[in-house]
Amino acid sequence: MKYAKKPLSHGYANQILTINLGTGKIDAQPLDEQVRDFFIGGRGLGLYLLHKKITAKTTASDAENPLIFSPGPLGGIPQFPGTSKCMAISLSPLTHIPGVSNFGGHFGAYLKYAGFDALEITGISKKNAMIVIDGFKNEVFTTEAPAIDQVFDLEKAIVEQFIQSGHEKKDIVFLTTGLGAANTLYGCINSHYYDAVKPVDGTKGLFRTKQAGRTGLGTVMINKNIRAIVVLSGYPHGENPYGAADWEKVKQSGAKLHKIVKEVDPQSLKMYRKGSAGLIAFMNKDDYQSLPVNNYQYGSDPRAEQICGKNYAEHLFDHRGMDGCFPGCNLRCTKGGWVTLVSGEHKGKKVWVDGPEYETAAGFGSNLGMWNPEFIMEANWHCDNYGIDTITTAVIMAFVMECYQRSYLIKEDTNGFELNWGDEKAALQFIHDIAYRKTALTSIAGLGMLELISWISEKYIARTGKSSPRKELEQFAMHTKGLPFSLYRTHRSLSMQASYAAASDIGAHHAAAWLVKVDLLGAFPTFEAKAQALITYPRVRLGNDNLGLCKLPWVDVFNPDSGNRKNTDIYINPASQEIYADFYNGMLGTNMTWEKIFEQTDRDINLQRVMNVMTYEKATGEHDWIPDRAIGPTEDSLYEKEKDYNDQQLSIILSKPLIDIQKMKTLDKREILMKHRKEELRKLIGVYYAQRGWSATGIPKVETLKQISLWNFLSDEARTKISAMHGQ
Ligand code: SF4
């Protein structure tokens, strides 16, 4: 299909690309102005396109379920740090509700440069398809993809193919997934881009990857028989290449943030050396107990030093070159290094590993009782190569390990295979077996936590003749809405508990409300402040996802000016938010405060909630909960491990002197503590619903949806359903 392309205007291409793989129809459609101005872009626009295509009956594997990629109006502008992000959106095969995952690299930017604000793919291809969007020739076509199941071999073949047809590496970006995505429900999508300056074997240049890891969107991709999506494009040129309303203002805002990143990061988190793995040391602090160890049982371990960012920075990361995942990002957190594989069919091969980022480092490290950074890097590489989400794989593995620890699973259940804390060899085998769906255990593990709980329960009942252990397993099966937790232990952060339970509408992920760090730093001392944070932080965080922005230059680089602000939440980094507002206003020609800009996110937060209601109906609120393990000690020995802290909290709860608390039985203390924490969480979720204008059962009220003008954008089916739920 040949298409016409207009110059970018206010950061928009003003066009959407739709591809139906079933009929072969490819179309470039104008982006409706009303839709654009209401949903902004990225996640918001993607959710709207999804909403328009599905009904309450649509499933993730249906041909009608669209797979959508959507950058935002501020994405792909190298004059400002961190404009790398693109969103992947579809119904999730893992959770059955809308799945959303952001990813870095150049794909979103190139898609826009090629002429599109979003790519929407429906239908299922009969053959392995590769979609090619050629922004040089203004042409889109599908072709047969190389029949290669592993991502890095596929990468090589794709690059060779396009080089042979005369393209330069810097002009080729693409998405892939692998066989693990086909064999599990939590496939990831790899975003490949060329890093021209990383030294390799005496020369320079290397294809690198970022991932859209969460909610199984790689599985949706491979279910549609798509192996790769390639965009060929170059950067726009000219006086005002992205069509900014005020290009000078944009450049000035970019220069300001650039300066702050340059001055602050080397004195604080040192992301440019440690990447996000630098967070390990913070979460591991004795006072915080927030680094998950052995399936979130413990929150700190002295051995974490071996897997902390400093260790990677000093021994494993290759700092040569420029580790920004998009030009202009001087935070440069995209670290990586070389390891020699010790398992799998590529055993003995030296490979480049992009990562690990914090989540992967904690997931395959402390949470499995593993303290070898090279093991973590190898696990990271295999997951990317198979096309499976590192977080989900690691957290499912941790659950299986705890089932062995507590004898809910024994060797006899799994043909002699055992998975224990710290057993690197077995853990690597488990990854390979999941990807190939090799054993009964790994086939089930590939279907996610809910299926795994049922399978282990059945095995246990058959073996012991005892009653179902489902209730016990559910206490430490770390998921919400079927999505395994990202890697934060939440005992000491009520805000983060509510974030996982209710504020994150895709399940237990931190993208919407990563409140744990600032909560631990004391940002929300009162219950009211915690409730308020559940509104304000998702607005900014998910607002960044609508704009095509990376959150790290905002969230991980504290602007010294923010510290001088009075009567405001300084932890939200208001001085940097003002710079972002200048960027936004400069591009879009508006004149809004950062608070007003991000208030707009309420629209897509409510839209996502409406879509969850379409699936969960009256039970929507019941899905807003977390396992006991995320709330507090699930057994006496775990209470004892943090006895001083727990006793002190109990002393406040019961208004009793500490000495009296110390005399109580651990079981009694634990039960009171857990009851209290659960009541607090329930109360906080209730306040969150009320602040959002939702009912006590978490259903958006009709008047709320009308007040924020979302009502008119909803499908008839959604309006009827929401009205009926409120008896209207
Ligand atoms: S901060 Fe890191 S992830 Fe974000 S755009 Fe920069 S390099 Fe990429």
Side-chain angles (χ1 to χ4, degrees):
M1 189 269 304
K2 283 274 191 190
Y3 64 93
K5 183 166 68 185
K6 284 190 234 141
L8 294 175
S9 170
H10 297 180
Y12 289 102
N14 284 309
Q15 196 161 233
I16 289 179
L17 176 61
T18 60
I19 299 177
N20 185 325
L21 294 167
T23 62
K25 191 165 186 282
I26 303 177
D27 211 2
Q29 297 175 354
L31 171 61
D32 183 299
E33 275 180 35
Q34 263 190 317
V35 169
R36 178 196 67 196
D37 295 344
F38 193 76
F39 290 104
I40 314 290
R43 180 180 163 280
L45 176 61
L47 282 169
Y48 175 73
L49 296 174
L50 176 66
H51 179 64
K52 283 304 197 198
K53 274 280 179 307
I54 61 170
T55 68
K57 291 201 176 77
T58 312
T59 68
S61 55
D62 286 347
E64 308 85 88
N65 180 29
L67 177 60
I68 295 156
F69 298 96
S70 175
L74 306 191
I77 300 173
Q79 281 71 13
F80 197 91
T83 62
S84 64
K85 296 293 176 173
C86 184
M87 304 300 294
I89 299 119
S90 188
L91 264 184
S92 162
L94 192 61
T95 62
H96 315 295
I97 52 178
V100 182
S101 191
N102 80 26
F103 60 98
H106 300 191
F107 185 85
Y110 276 41
L111 182 64
K112 194 156 85 173
Y113 303 160
F116 302 104
D117 297 303
L119 163 62
E120 177 192 278
I121 308 162
T122 51
I124 295 169
S125 168
K126 289 195 178 67
K127 290 182 179 166
N128 284 335
M130 176 160 71
I131 295 168
V132 182
I133 302 162
D134 188 335
F136 296 109
K137 293 185 182 154
N138 292 351
E139 187 177 18
V140 182
F141 59 94
T142 58
T143 177
E144 199 162 337
I148 299 173
D149 278 341
Q150 295 188 23
V151 163
F152 295 112
D153 289 340
L154 182 59
E155 174 186 88
K156 209 165 153 230
I158 289 172
V159 171
E160 269 166 22
Q161 182 176 331
F162 285 95
I163 284 177
Q164 271 175 17
S165 60
H167 293 93
E168 289 185 53
K169 286 179 183 169
K170 69 175 175 52
D171 298 334
I172 311 165
V173 304
F174 52 101
L175 306 179
T176 64
T177 191
L179 72 118
N183 284 337
T184 70
L185 295 181
Y186 40 90
C188 77
I189 297 172
N190 286 278
S191 158
H192 305 249
Y193 64 98
Y194 188 57
D195 173 346
V197 292
K198 183 67 73 185
V200 185
D201 295 337
T203 66
K204 276 185 184 172
L206 174 75
F207 269 86
R208 302 187 62 175
T209 56
K210 294 292 248 181
Q211 285 73 32
R214 308 264 34 216
T215 69
L217 304 185
T219 299
V220 177
M221 180 166 161
I222 212 148
N223 284 348
K224 291 189 175 301
N225 269 331
I226 308 168
R227 288 300 168 116
I229 305 170
V230 182
V231 182
L232 305 167
S233 185
Y235 293 83
H237 296 290
E239 283 293 303
N240 181 5
Y242 310 97
D246 183 344
W247 185 227
E248 277 313 307
K249 189 172 182 167
V250 169
K251 285 195 286 186
Q252 279 166 16
S253 63
K256 268 192 209 168
L257 192 64
H258 217 272
K259 185 166 176 276
I260 287 157
V261 170
K262 191 174 168 205
E263 288 172 2
V264 174
D265 183 55
Q267 311 304 324
S268 53
L269 291 179
K270 299 186 176 61
M271 302 279 287
Y272 79 105
R273 294 224 11 117
K274 300 177 184 175
S276 60
L279 257 184
I280 296 258
F282 178 89
M283 294 297 159
N284 188 47
K285 282 186 182 172
D286 226 29
D287 284 352
Y288 297 163
Q289 297 289 324
S290 297
L291 180 73
V293 179
N294 291 12
N295 196 30
Y296 304 79
Q297 292 184 75
Y298 319 116
S300 177
D301 192 294
R303 289 168 291 179
E305 212 171 282
Q306 297 165 43
I307 58 162
C308 70
K310 187 167 177 280
N311 200 25
Y312 283 105
E314 285 173 3
H315 304 293
L316 287 154
F317 288 157
D318 181 342
H319 300 288
R320 295 172 299 166
M322 165 74 188
D323 289 322
C325 77
F326 190 71
C329 186
N330 60 331
L331 194 51
R332 295 180 282 149
C333 78
T334 303
K335 307 305 297 181
W338 297 91
V339 291
T340 302
L341 302 175
V342 300
S343 74
E345 62 202 85
H346 302 282
K347 187 173 168 178
K349 191 173 163 187
K350 195 174 157 198
V351 294
W352 172 264
V353 184
D354 271 304
E357 295 188 19
Y358 166 79
E359 306 291 338
T360 305
F364 285 122
S366 55
N367 206 33
L368 300 182
M370 310 279 188
W371 311 103
N372 173 6
E374 275 160 314
F375 157 77
I376 294 167
M377 289 179 83
E378 171 155 359
N380 192 156
W381 188 87
H382 289 305
C383 286
D384 295 348
N385 188 42
Y386 289 134
I388 50 177
D389 177 29
T390 53
I391 298 177
T392 304
T393 305
V395 175
I396 281 187
M397 211 189 286
F399 173 64
V400 172
M401 283 184 180
E402 188 165 345
C403 286
Y404 277 105
Q405 177 199 325
R406 298 180 184 280
S407 302
Y408 290 112
L409 267 181
I410 61 168
K411 262 177 165 179
E412 285 68 47
D413 295 326
T414 56
N415 299 327
F417 179 77
E418 242 185 331
L419 196 59
N420 292 314
W421 308 118
D423 186 342
E424 292 174 15
K425 206 169 157 207
L428 288 169
Q429 191 57 50
F430 194 78
I431 295 173
H432 300 306
D433 290 356
I434 281 183
Y436 282 96
R437 210 191 273 164
K438 222 168 187 170
T439 67
L441 170 66
T442 52
S443 300
I444 295 293
L447 300 180
M449 205 66 102
L450 299 171
E451 299 286 340
L452 197 52
I453 294 171
S454 299
W455 188 82
I456 294 173
S457 297
E458 279 162 28
K459 284 273 169 200
Y460 181 85
I461 295 166
R463 175 163 48 80
T464 63
K466 293 183 184 168
S467 57
S468 172
R470 177 175 279 275
K471 278 221 161 74
E472 291 101 283
L473 297 180
E474 282 172 347
Q475 290 191 347
F476 62 88
M478 302 301 285
H479 77 94
T480 295
K481 303 179 178 74
L483 187 72
F485 270 54
S486 56
L487 278 299
Y488 303 97
R489 185 175 182 264
T490 50
H491 289 201
R492 302 206 180 183
S493 173
L494 176 60
S495 309
M496 195 65 207
Q497 290 175 21
S499 160
Y500 274 143
S504 172
D505 255 336
I506 59 166
H509 192 54
H510 57 284
W514 185 61
L515 300 177
V516 59
K517 187 180 168 204
V518 279
D519 200 7
L520 292 169
L521 289 170
F524 320 125
T526 62
F527 192 83
E528 290 68 34
K530 288 183 201 304
Q532 189 53 35
L534 288 168
I535 301 290
T536 50
Y537 281 75
R539 277 180 179 161
V540 177
R541 295 185 64 85
L542 298 176
N544 275 278
D545 285 348
N546 292 346
L547 297 173
L549 296 177
C550 174
K551 302 169 192 81
L552 304 189
W554 153 61
V555 81
D556 283 326
V557 184
F558 188 70
N559 188 327
D561 274 356
S562 292
N564 303 324
R565 300 298 163 96
K566 300 272 180 275
N567 306 321
T568 187
D569 170 14
I570 61 162
Y571 295 93
I572 207 159
N573 207 0
S576 282
Q577 299 286 15
E578 287 160 14
I579 300 173
Y580 279 86
D582 282 348
F583 180 28
Y584 182 98
N585 290 325
M587 282 305 298
L588 274 75
T590 46
N591 186 19
M592 295 164 81
T593 61
W594 67 266
E595 289 93 337
K596 284 284 168 207
I597 291 167
F598 289 123
E599 241 177 66
Q600 300 175 103
T601 318
D602 287 352
R603 301 164 186 172
D604 43 272
I605 289 173
N606 275 280
L607 174 60
Q608 193 171 12
R609 190 65 172 191
V610 166
M611 284 196 273
N612 279 9
V613 174
M614 301 296 281
T615 302
Y616 294 143
E617 303 193 337
K618 282 188 183 141
T620 299
E622 290 165 31
H623 290 270
D624 289 342
W625 198 246
I626 51 176
D628 282 8
R629 173 63 57 75
I631 297 172
T634 43
E635 62 191 30
D636 291 355
S637 65
L638 297 177
Y639 183 103
E640 289 293 322
K641 189 101 192 343
E642 291 167 61
K643 186 170 175 292
D644 291 349
Y645 177 84
N646 290 334
D647 280 357
Q648 269 163 20
Q649 212 190 17
L650 215 51
S651 156
I652 296 166
I653 294 165
L654 297 177
S655 305
K656 276 188 180 178
L658 191 57
I659 194 141
D660 292 348
I661 301 291
Q662 285 161 343
K663 286 179 199 151
M664 289 170 68
K665 276 193 201 155
T666 304
L667 177 64
D668 296 340
K669 290 194 285 188
R670 187 168 66 80
E671 283 180 355
I672 297 167
L673 184 69
M674 285 300 282
K675 186 168 172 276
H676 172 80
R677 287 194 187 166
K678 285 181 189 176
E679 282 168 2
E680 287 285 283
L681 178 57
R682 219 162 260 130
K683 203 166 100 193
L684 186 56
I685 292 171
V687 175
Y688 170 69
Y689 288 168
Q691 291 192 139
R692 279 242 164 270
W694 297 351
S695 71
T697 52
I699 317 281
K701 291 181 184 164
V702 173
E703 56 265 37
T704 303
L705 301 173
K706 286 186 174 165
Q707 201 182 357
I708 60 169
S709 307
L710 178 62
W711 189 252
N712 290 341
F713 288 95
L714 297 181
S715 66
D716 290 344
E717 186 193 21
R719 284 196 291 237
T720 307
K721 194 159 238 171
I722 296 285
S723 299
M725 296 223 154
H726 296 293
Q728 293 172 355

